[in-house]
Amino acid sequence: MDQNNTELTRDRIFDILSSPRRRYVLYFLRTEPNPIQLTDLAEHVAAWENDTTVEELSTQQRKRVYVSLYQTHLPKLAEAGLVNYDEESGDVSIAAKASEIDPLLGEQGSEPAWYLYYFGLAVVSSLLVVASVVGLAIPQIALAVGIIGAFAVLTIAHMAYEWSQQSPPAEFRE
């Protein structure tokens, strides 16, 4: 199947991502540098869904997930060009095209840790207030305006970042 001609419209992407099982497959395959066997993938998905370890899975739990991945989920992901799936060998891997949907998956670690910026600014502000109280030559009005201004700038930067993340990339728009 020619995966490069398959257009990923916003509706198609949301349909694909509507299944927690498909989202987990995409998440898991991102962590695997090499192709993984369908049986191994099914075990990891089943363990995740049943909140257990691969070793503690029942045969029924493994089989249920394996069959749904084989019959439904992997063909759908492969047709969309998001995974490479070889039915004969059972090899599954993430496709390069999958990176196009990363913004919609809310990748962990990709967003700045804003709480650290706010905490850092609070610590610096507190130190400046203490310095002012113990007699360093910092005019209180200038100190107050500086602290409020710094928090305002940080808040505006945070808001601008959040707004920039709300709109999907152009290739997802119809």
Side-chain angles (χ1 to χ4, degrees):
M1 175 176 298
D2 186 6
Q3 298 171 351
N4 294 329
N5 290 334
T6 306
E7 183 182 356
L8 284 177
T9 64
R10 185 178 357 181
D11 289 340
R12 183 137 192 251
I13 292 168
F14 288 142
D15 177 54
I16 290 167
L17 297 178
S18 68
S19 166
R21 193 167 279 173
R22 287 191 292 267
R23 289 193 306 269
Y24 186 73
V25 165
L26 291 170
Y27 167 78
F28 184 80
L29 291 176
R30 275 190 188 84
T31 66
E32 291 296 312
N34 300 312
I36 186 172
Q37 283 289 302
L38 171 56
T39 52
D40 295 333
L41 177 62
E43 286 179 339
H44 287 285
V45 172
W48 170 70
E49 288 181 355
N50 291 287
D51 196 27
T52 188
T53 64
V54 170
E55 296 77 26
E56 294 177 359
L57 285 171
S58 71
T59 303
Q60 183 62 28
Q61 291 169 324
R62 292 171 204 264
K63 184 176 179 181
R64 187 183 71 238
V65 173
Y66 177 91
V67 169
S68 76
L69 289 179
Y70 178 79
Q71 291 180 346
T72 305
H73 300 297
L74 290 178
K76 188 168 193 160
L77 289 167
E79 179 185 335
L82 299 174
V83 300
N84 302 312
Y85 173 46
D86 184 341
E87 288 186 41
E88 289 183 25
S89 70
D91 285 343
V92 185
S93 63
I94 196 77
K97 191 174 187 178
S99 65
E100 294 177 16
I101 64 170
D102 285 349
L104 298 175
L105 292 175
E107 287 294 301
Q108 294 295 326
S110 62
E111 182 174 324
W114 290 102
Y115 67 94
L116 291 175
Y117 298 136
Y118 285 104
F119 180 73
L121 185 53
V123 168
V124 169
S125 298
S126 298
L127 291 174
L128 289 172
V129 168
V130 168
S132 175
V133 169
V134 296
L136 292 180
I138 302 173
Q140 290 182 346
I141 289 289
L143 180 62
V145 169
I147 290 172
I148 292 169
F151 274 102
V153 167
L154 181 57
T155 302
I156 290 168
H158 189 169
M159 288 173 29
Y161 177 83
E162 292 296 323
W163 286 336
S164 73
Q165 299 302 305
Q166 289 179 2
S167 177
E171 58 266 17
F172 294 139
R173 297 185 195 121
E174 296 180 287

